[in-house]
């Protein structure tokens, strides 16, 4: 699905049509009108400055006042004192969408002359992201046909602004794809159907390869297959190659794609189990990032891999105590069939290292409930065997507002997953569950490949809206990964 907002950048050759939105900056907490604002204030015989005073308008970021004059309506939106390009300007775009919804003025002219093309483009990007909706399954009422909004944005240089924006719109298309995938229920989005959606990325110049159960069996991916073996639906792995970077070794992105996680034989309680349709949020971030990277034409080599399975209890399902040989050759005792994501990821990581020569490897997964206990729904958990890679990921997180917080690894945690019968077991003890899960993954890193793991269990879905992220599937990770991939330089 896409945004409710359509927008275009125009030059100021005639008087703007109402309703008009003015962006109001503040200096030392005092709001002041720009040239366009002053001109309009004159047309309104000073009604705009009077309204600002009466409402004690401070022009704080996102603060809004509506003036309904006889000539037409004017919405003032505060933008504060900060004109940085990035999370702040994107959030302002989100506030603009909120102000439009609140005022019920849905087709506006936004006055943005005198401001840089990149700043305006990023504001527009934020508004566009905020306009996303997933209304596919409503057949009637307001939800089936959400209010459309439009914005003519008056700028100094429509051409430059449009070209800056197009790149960002490409990234938004990746965010939207991830949100769509996360929002889809598992009766619609099962592994084979998910793989079909990935195949559509070939239109953008991404090479897409799909492996089925037989293909993965030949590769020895018995951990991944063990998770899927209790389901009527076959498993899939999708490999997506983007060759934008000449002959550099590829950066590899890996995603957990559990289309539904019942827990398997170690079945989950009924309450809230519906949330486990979004246990494929890590894979959605990877697929969305691949789309964003291609749509924005980023000049790097990237391979995205997603392991797609459904974790079901069944006569054929994996059972507690079973021992399975991984693609790496290491054996795993399955203590709890609900710790399935790490099993899927382990084989995909091995596949990546045996076939793709990754320069670095990052996996994303809704891996543990424990990360929600540690970090809430504010940041993901970042685990890494390499400080340079970890700090590059943290920088991308800060630049995009998709936060992450470094968590530990180490021998004393790792020994908690030693097994009495096999090379390792798939859960640690009662405590430190996110760390022991990461330690499990680390056992599948070969030759010290720089590797990082993002546990996004708290981030893939949100019941509360943020300025540029409506409630529902968030698309968390797409912006972070896209930014990372564009800027990362291996340390020499
Ligand atoms: N998919 C869950 C983790 C999860 C929990 C994601 C809540 C999103 C919200 C994962 O497969 C799981 O079940 N993990 C178990 C691990 C345990 C059995 C060691 C958990 O966190 O309880
Ligand atoms: Mn589980
Ligand atoms: Zn899971």
């Amino acid at each position: 699905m896409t945004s409710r907002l359509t927008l275009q950048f125009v030059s100021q050759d005639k008087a703007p049509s109402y309703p008009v939105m003015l962006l109001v900056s503040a200096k030392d907490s005092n709001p002041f009108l720009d040239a366009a604002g002053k001109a309009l204030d004159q047309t309104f015989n000073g009604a705009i400055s009077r309204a600002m005073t009466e409402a004690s308008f401070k022009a704080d970021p996102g603060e809004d006042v509506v003036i309904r004059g006889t000539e037409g309506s004017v919405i003032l939106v505060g933008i504060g004192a900060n004109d940085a390009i990035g999370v702040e300007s994107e959030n302002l775009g989100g506030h603009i969408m909120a102000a439009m919804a609140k005022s019920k003025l849905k087709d506006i002219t936004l006055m943005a002359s005198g401001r840089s093309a990149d700043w305006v483009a990023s504001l527009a990007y934020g508004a566009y992201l905020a306009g996303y909706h997933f209304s596919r399954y409503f057949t009637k009422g307001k939800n089936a046909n959400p209010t459309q909004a439009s914005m003519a944005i008056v700028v100094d240089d429509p051409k430059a602004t449009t070209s800056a924006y197009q790149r960002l719109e490409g990234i938004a298309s990746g965010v939207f794809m991830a949100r769509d995938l996360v929002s889809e229920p598992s009766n619609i989005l099962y592994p084979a159907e998910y793989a079909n959606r990935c195949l559509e990325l070939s239109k953008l110049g991404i090479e897409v390869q799909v492996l089925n159960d037989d293909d993965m069996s030949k590769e020895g991916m018995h951990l991944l297959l063990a998770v899927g073996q209790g389901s009527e639906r076959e498993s899939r792995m999708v490999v997506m190659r983007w060759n934008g970077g000449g002959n550099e070794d590829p950066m590899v992105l890996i995603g957990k794609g559990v289309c539904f996680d019942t827990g398997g034989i170690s079945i989950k309680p009924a309450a809230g189990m519906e949330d486990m349709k979004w246990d494929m949020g890590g894979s959605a971030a990877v697929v969305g990032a691949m789309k964003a990277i291609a749509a924005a034409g980023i000049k790097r080599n990237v391979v995205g891999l997603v392991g797609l399975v459904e974790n079901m209890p069944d006569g054929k399902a994996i059972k507690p105590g079973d021992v399975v040989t991984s693609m790496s050759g290491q054996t795993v005792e399955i203590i709890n069939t609900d710790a399935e994501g790490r099993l899927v990821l382990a084989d995909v990581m091995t596949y990546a290292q045996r076939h793709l020569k990754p320069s670095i490897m990052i996996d994303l997964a809704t891996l543990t409930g424990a990360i929600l206990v540690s970090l809430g729904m504010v940041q993901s958990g970042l685990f890494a065997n390499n400080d340079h890679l970890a700090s590059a990921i943290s920088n991308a997180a800060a630049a995009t507002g998709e936060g992450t917080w470094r968590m530990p690894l180490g021998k004393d945690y790792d020994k908690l997953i030693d097994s009495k019968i096999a090379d390792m077991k798939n859960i640690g003890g009662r405590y430190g569950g996110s760390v022991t899960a990461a330690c499990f993954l680390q056992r599948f890193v070969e030759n010290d490949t720089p590797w990082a793991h993002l546990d996004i269990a708290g981030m893939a879905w949100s019941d509360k809206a943020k300025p540029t992220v409506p409630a529902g599937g968030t698309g968390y990770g797409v912006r972070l990964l896209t930014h990372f991939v564009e800027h990362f330089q291996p340390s020499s």
Side-chain angles (χ1 to χ4, degrees):
M1 313 243 35
T2 183
S3 183
R4 293 184 291 108
L5 176 68
T6 50
L7 56 90
Q8 53 172 337
F9 302 99
V10 299
S11 60
Q12 183 157 34
D13 43 12
K14 53 177 167 41
S17 56
Y18 295 99
V20 166
M21 181 179 279
L22 293 174
L23 301 171
V24 186
S25 305
K27 198 173 181 193
D28 307 324
S29 297
N30 295 312
F32 63 94
L33 294 169
D34 62 7
K38 282 182 185 141
L40 211 62
D41 196 25
Q42 263 185 8
T43 313
F44 276 63
N45 296 317
I48 294 175
S49 19
R50 276 198 303 279
M52 282 168 45
T53 315
E54 276 165 23
S56 329
F57 183 69
K58 292 206 284 295
D60 288 337
E63 188 185 354
D64 67 286
V65 174
V66 183
I67 300 144
R68 296 182 199 266
T70 44
E71 300 85 344
S73 297
V74 175
I75 314 173
L76 309 179
V77 175
I79 62 177
N82 185 347
D83 58 3
I85 296 166
V87 181
E88 288 95 344
S89 47
E90 291 165 17
N91 284 345
L92 274 175
H95 292 314
I96 284 175
M97 283 298 280
M100 284 169 76
K102 205 173 94 185
S103 66
K104 300 219 158 62
L105 299 169
K106 55 192 178 50
D107 301 297
I108 64 161
T109 305
L110 171 64
M111 307 304 285
S113 46
R115 308 191 189 261
S116 81
D118 284 333
W119 186 84
V120 179
S122 108
L123 182 104
Y125 170 57
Y128 186 71
L129 285 169
Y132 173 85
H133 62 108
F134 188 82
S135 52
R136 206 172 163 190
Y137 298 109
F138 291 108
T139 66
K140 51 190 161 206
K142 228 179 97 205
N143 284 322
N145 285 302
T147 315
Q148 302 297 305
S150 73
M151 226 185 251
I153 307 180
V154 176
V155 293
D156 295 338
D157 187 345
K159 232 175 127 187
T161 317
T162 303
S163 88
Y165 178 70
Q166 268 163 358
R167 210 190 90 82
L168 298 173
E169 195 182 26
I171 297 172
S173 75
V175 175
F176 290 177
M177 181 166 189
R179 290 179 183 173
D180 285 351
L181 291 168
V182 167
S183 302
E184 288 287 12
S186 71
N187 59 326
I188 306 289
L189 196 79
Y190 47 90
E193 168 59 18
Y194 195 156
N196 288 339
R197 298 217 184 169
C198 296
L199 282 166
E200 287 170 20
L201 295 182
S202 55
K203 284 184 221 144
L204 295 171
I206 296 172
E207 279 171 45
V208 185
Q209 178 190 358
V210 178
L211 284 77
N212 64 17
D213 280 0
D214 284 344
D215 301 325
M216 288 190 279
S217 184
K218 280 180 199 133
E219 293 285 347
M221 300 176 73
H222 302 299
L223 279 182
L224 184 152
L225 292 169
V227 177
Q229 79 190 31
S231 171
E232 288 296 313
R233 307 284 196 185
E234 259 204 42
S235 303
R236 293 285 185 271
M237 179 172 70
V238 183
V239 185
M240 294 158 281
R241 292 181 169 83
W242 170 251
N243 301 309
N247 49 23
E248 67 175 5
D249 288 340
M251 294 176 262
V252 166
L253 310 176
I254 292 173
K256 168 180 173 181
V258 176
C259 294
F260 196 83
D261 181 12
T262 63
I265 295 299
S266 315
I267 197 163
K268 288 179 181 295
M273 202 201 273
E274 66 277 10
D275 282 350
M276 287 300 109
K277 76 168 185 182
W278 50 261
D279 205 18
M280 31 57 68
S283 66
V286 169
V287 174
M290 294 307 294
K291 180 167 188 178
I293 290 161
I298 290 173
K299 293 186 169 48
R300 301 301 298 266
N301 289 345
V302 190
V303 185
L305 299 104
V306 291
L308 308 178
V309 301
E310 188 176 67
N311 187 21
M312 297 288 284
D314 173 80
K316 295 195 293 289
I318 186 92
K319 304 174 297 299
D322 288 0
V323 174
V324 179
T325 303
S326 67
M327 181 178 175
S328 74
Q330 300 177 91
T331 53
V332 179
E333 180 190 13
I334 314 289
I335 300 292
N336 188 317
T337 66
D338 197 11
E340 84 296 340
R342 63 200 74 183
L343 305 176
V344 173
L345 291 169
D347 273 349
V348 179
M349 287 167 67
T350 303
Y351 181 95
Q353 292 165 100
R354 301 282 166 92
H355 291 284
L356 300 168
K357 261 185 93 191
S359 60
I360 59 104
M361 188 163 66
I362 304 175
D363 76 77
L364 288 89
T366 50
L367 203 63
T368 65
I371 203 69
L372 274 141
V373 177
S374 314
L375 299 174
M377 301 176 85
V378 176
Q379 308 187 83
S380 65
L382 165 62
F383 301 83
N385 67 355
N386 181 293
D387 291 342
H388 176 69
L389 176 60
S391 71
I393 291 172
S394 295
N395 291 342
T400 56
E402 297 193 321
T404 194
W405 190 259
R406 183 105 183 245
M407 300 281 290
L409 291 161
K411 278 204 180 69
D412 290 337
Y413 292 106
D414 180 80
K415 67 181 182 210
L416 299 173
I417 54 170
D418 286 338
S419 160
K420 292 199 175 74
I421 185 174
D423 294 334
M424 69 195 89
K425 54 186 180 181
N426 77 329
I427 58 169
R430 189 163 146 69
Y431 301 115
S434 305
V435 188
T436 48
C439 288
F440 183 94
L441 298 177
Q442 192 176 17
R443 289 196 183 200
F444 294 85
V445 176
E446 299 175 353
N447 308 318
D448 285 322
T449 301
W451 156 79
H453 156 61
L454 289 168
D455 192 336
I456 68 165
M459 303 307 291
W461 186 271
S462 175
D463 293 328
K464 277 233 290 282
K466 290 186 194 161
T468 61
V469 188
T474 61
Y476 176 94
V478 174
R479 292 192 261 175
L480 185 163
L481 288 174
T482 305
H483 190 282
F484 168 85
V485 158
E486 184 167 19
H487 295 96
F488 182 68
Q489 291 305 331
S491 61
S492 39

